[in-house]
């Protein structure tokens, strides 16, 4: 199995009759997310026959397969072989500069809740690069983090719509919207960066594991 | 073969679909595709269809051939079809000429029907597919539902015509495999899910179908805080107020509500065709059994 000193031991679960989920934890931790990124990279270099799609999530990797050509048992055997080699499998991440206008409607509330001035919050938020943890929920929507010292719950009220390029903050994570969508996260700013273009191949730019360098837009 | 079809009348959930937009989950986009894959395939066989088809609902559909000619196959649930005002057998195909009309109205059973043509629907492929995603607002015609006045062009020659087995509404419980979070539900809730009475509600669309939990199996509000994780079609999630929702073809790719079960692939078409008010019972099966059912067609 994956090196227990580096990565948590995964649980392999059936998700319906055409997919299995390799889950490295039931809570979002840095180690679980790193294991997801490592396994996703490994499966790209060493694909498993019969797997038709690999989807990395915050703490798990979904493998869709064709039940007419392969069996879950066969897949799990192949998976175990690959999990043995997981320790050194990280690809070098890409780095991106994300200029942000920090003028979101919830910036005051977020800073106050963390006991920081706005400037101090922005400085803390931008101090170190954030890792892309996963894409999900909506086209090109990315979760980044983790800001383990700045954990806030989501808002109690959901905003029915925020524009593409909104920079959101909750649960120790920063998220960037790529489409217009409803959200219960705190809106702290906006960026010109767009992670989704339906006409492009692939349609998103960011991959889990990439590093985002947030900065105050000039 | 080429033709131009004009939509005369369409319900709000009418859309262009193809087999689905696969391989895009990592970009935050679910596959879409037909709510009743078997019905879509049957309509295709009857037409000798090319790429894509039109999925419509109990609101019905009416088309007019503005120019050209084509063969149209229709299947799915049970509907009533009139070709230029003359009733034709549902689950079949007719040849349409310029100036012809085909009108479809609800029939004995089912929510979804399909029109497929012996040519390719001309639409821009987005990420390899012309399927409309109601959630992401892409594919099909401008990523939206079809409406009166829309025009669909057909080109190319389609494929071979064949006679599929007639479609039946099917009966019996909807079979499932235990879901991603089944272990988080108390034994009483799991037992209640298998033994309880549920019904399809009117709150259904391409994203999901809300169920009426008649026996209040999931009555208590839950405050489980779960990490967002992958969703597959057929997943049954329980909202905070206890409402079960069966997630369908335009599901969100990830979600954080607890999921007790996943409807098996072999029963998902049948489930999609169950009308509002219909009672539904659930029965657990193993993954191997679910796959054997797929292999036996």
């Amino acid at each position: 199995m994956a090196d227990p000193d580096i990565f948590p031991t995964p649980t392999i679960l059936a998700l319906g009759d055409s997919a299995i989920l390799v889950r490295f934890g039931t809570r979002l931790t840095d180690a679980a997310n790193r294991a997801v990124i490592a396994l996703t990279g490994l499966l790209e270099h060493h694909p498993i026959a019969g797997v038709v799609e690999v989807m990395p999530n915050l703490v798990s990797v979904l493998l869709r397969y064709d039940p007419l050509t392969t069996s879950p048992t066969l897949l799990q055997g192949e998976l175990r072989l690959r999990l043995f080699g997981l320790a050194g499998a990280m690809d070098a991440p890409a780095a991106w500069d994300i200029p942000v206008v920090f003028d979101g409607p919830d910036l005051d509330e977020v800073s106050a809740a963390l006991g920081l001035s706005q400037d101090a919050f922005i400085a803390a938020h931008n101090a170190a690069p954030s890792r892309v943890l996963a894409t999900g929920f909506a086209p090109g929507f990315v979760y980044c983090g983790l800001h383990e010292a700045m954990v806030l719950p989501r808002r109690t009220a959901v905003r029915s719509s925020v524009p593409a390029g909104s920079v959101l903050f909750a649960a120790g994570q920063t998220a960037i919207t790529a489409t217009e969508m409803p959200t219960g996260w705190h809106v702290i700013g906006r960026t010109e960066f767009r992670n989704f273009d339906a006409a492009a191949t692939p349609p998103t730019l960011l991959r889990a594991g990439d590093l985002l360098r947030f900065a105050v837009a000039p | 073969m080429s033709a131009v079809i004009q939509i005369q009348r369409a319900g709000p959930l009418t859309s262009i679909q193809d087999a689905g937009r696969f391989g895009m989950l990592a970009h935050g986009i679910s596959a879409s595709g037909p709510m009743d894959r078997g019905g879509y395939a049957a309509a295709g066989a009857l037409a000798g269809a090319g790429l894509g088809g039109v999925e419509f609902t109990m609101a019905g559909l009416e088309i007019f051939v503005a120019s050209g000619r084509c063969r149209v196959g229709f299947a799915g649930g049970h509907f009533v079809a009139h070709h230029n005002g003359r009733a034709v057998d549902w689950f079949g195909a007719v040849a349409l000429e310029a100036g012809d009309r085909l009108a479809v109205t609800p029939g004995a059973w089912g929510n979804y029907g399909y029109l497929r043509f012996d040519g390719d629907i001309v639409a821009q492929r987005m990420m390899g597919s012309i399927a409309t995603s109601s959630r992401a607002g892409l594919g099909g015609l401008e990523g939206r539902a079809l409406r009166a006045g829309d025009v669909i062009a057909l080109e190319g020659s389609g494929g071979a015509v064949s006679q599929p087995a007639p479609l039946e509404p099917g009966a019996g419980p909807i079979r499932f495999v235990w879901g991603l979070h089944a272990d988080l539900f108390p034994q009483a809730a799991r037992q209640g899910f298998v033994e309880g009475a549920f019904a399809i509600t009117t709150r259904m669309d391409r994203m999901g179908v809300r169920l009426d939990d008649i026996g209040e199996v999931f009555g208590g509000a839950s405050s489980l805080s779960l990490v967002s994780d992958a969703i597959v079609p057929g997943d049954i999630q329980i909202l905070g107020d206890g409402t079960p929702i069966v997630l369908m073809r335009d599901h969100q790719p990830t979600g954080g509500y607890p999921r007790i079960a996943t409807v098996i692939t072999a029963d998902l078409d049948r489930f999609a065709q169950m009308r509002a008010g219909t009672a539904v019972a659930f029965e657990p099966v193993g993954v191997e059994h679910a796959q054997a059912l797929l292999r036996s067609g």
Side-chain angles (χ1 to χ4, degrees), chain A residues 12-213:
Chain A
I12 301 176
L13 304 139
L15 195 47
D17 53 32
S18 312
I20 56 174
L21 195 71
V22 187
R23 195 167 62 172
F24 291 96
T26 52
R27 284 187 319 106
L28 174 57
T29 63
D30 190 65
N33 181 257
R34 283 181 187 276
V36 165
I37 292 162
L39 178 60
T40 305
L42 189 71
L43 290 172
E44 243 169 69
H45 298 303
H46 305 283
I48 299 175
V51 172
V52 294
E53 185 163 11
V54 175
M55 176 201 191
N57 305 290
L58 287 168
V59 297
S60 74
V61 182
L62 181 80
L63 280 71
R64 273 206 320 116
Y65 64 92
D66 178 357
L68 299 178
T69 60
T70 190
S71 77
T73 319
L74 202 65
L75 277 189
Q76 293 194 24
E78 289 292 329
L79 252 175
R80 283 199 187 87
L81 288 174
R82 283 158 180 77
L83 286 165
F84 277 116
L86 197 56
M90 292 289 255
D91 285 341
W96 304 78
D97 289 309
I98 311 289
V100 177
V101 178
F102 285 92
D103 65 351
D106 302 322
L107 186 61
D108 257 346
E109 200 180 319
V110 167
S111 309
L114 294 167
L116 299 167
S117 68
Q118 277 197 21
D119 286 347
F121 167 74
I122 293 165
H125 179 273
N126 298 353
S130 282
R131 195 170 75 244
V132 177
L133 304 171
T135 303
F137 184 69
F141 182 90
V142 284
Y143 301 86
C144 327
L146 286 161
H147 311 287
E148 285 174 344
M150 299 198 293
V151 178
L152 275 189
R154 295 174 190 198
R155 299 173 71 240
T156 43
V158 171
R159 280 197 173 83
S160 60
S161 175
V162 299
S166 297
V167 179
L168 314 178
F169 189 80
Q173 298 162 69
T174 305
I176 309 172
T177 66
T179 53
E180 192 182 309
M181 59 187 274
T183 185
W185 290 44
H186 306 273
V187 182
I188 58 170
R190 56 197 159 89
T191 177
E192 295 290 308
F193 182 81
R194 292 290 179 274
N195 189 38
F196 178 66
D197 176 357
T201 308
T204 62
L205 296 168
L206 301 177
R207 300 172 46 126
D210 285 0
L211 293 175
L212 303 188
R213 294 184 293 239

Side-chain angles (χ1 to χ4, degrees), chain B residues 208-226:
Chain B
V209 178
R210 283 181 184 235
L211 300 178
D212 184 4
D213 174 8
I214 296 162
E216 299 197 348
V217 171
F218 303 109
S222 114
S223 58
L224 279 174
S225 173
L226 299 174

Side-chain angles (χ1 to χ4, degrees), chain B residues 66-271:
Chain B
S67 68
R69 56 179 51 184
C70 64
R71 177 181 169 91
V72 58
F74 31 87
H78 182 263
F79 288 79
V80 175
H82 284 86
H83 177 205
N84 295 337
R86 188 177 52 84
V88 291
D89 283 344
W90 177 256
F91 189 76
V94 292
L96 298 177
E97 308 278 338
D100 279 8
R101 285 172 192 277
L102 184 75
V104 180
T105 49
W109 60 271
N111 296 314
Y112 297 96
Y114 297 90
L115 294 189
R116 296 194 62 193
F117 306 94
D118 61 344
D120 297 340
I121 290 180
V122 179
Q124 192 189 354
R125 282 183 188 263
M126 304 292 256
M127 296 160 251
S129 162
I130 63 167
T132 309
S133 167
S134 62
R135 171 172 293 280
L138 55 84
L141 197 66
E142 301 166 358
R144 60 169 173 81
L146 294 174
R147 51 184 184 237
D150 284 340
V151 167
I152 297 174
L154 304 172
E155 64 180 22
S157 56
V161 174
S162 62
Q163 189 65 32
L167 300 166
E168 302 289 341
I174 294 294
R175 291 159 295 186
F176 69 88
V177 294
W178 288 110
L180 181 56
H181 307 109
D183 57 336
L184 301 181
F185 288 86
Q187 172 61 23
R190 291 201 296 267
Q191 195 172 339
F193 180 63
V194 173
E195 294 172 358
F198 297 90
I200 309 285
T201 70
T202 54
R203 298 187 66 181
M204 59 163 78
D205 59 20
R206 289 189 42 86
M207 300 181 206
V209 178
R210 283 181 184 235
L211 300 178
D212 184 4
D213 174 8
I214 296 162
E216 299 197 348
V217 171
F218 303 109
S222 114
S223 58
L224 279 174
S225 173
L226 299 174
V227 61
S228 185
D229 216 330
I231 288 173
V232 295
D235 271 354
I236 304 180
Q237 68 179 17
I238 311 298
L239 297 184
D241 66 0
T243 305
I245 300 184
V246 184
L247 296 160
M248 303 300 281
R249 299 285 169 203
D250 286 355
H251 64 88
Q252 59 194 60
T254 59
Y257 288 109
R259 281 168 268 149
I260 191 167
T262 306
V263 174
I264 68 172
T265 305
D267 281 356
L268 200 55
D269 287 354
R270 180 161 62 95
F271 178 80

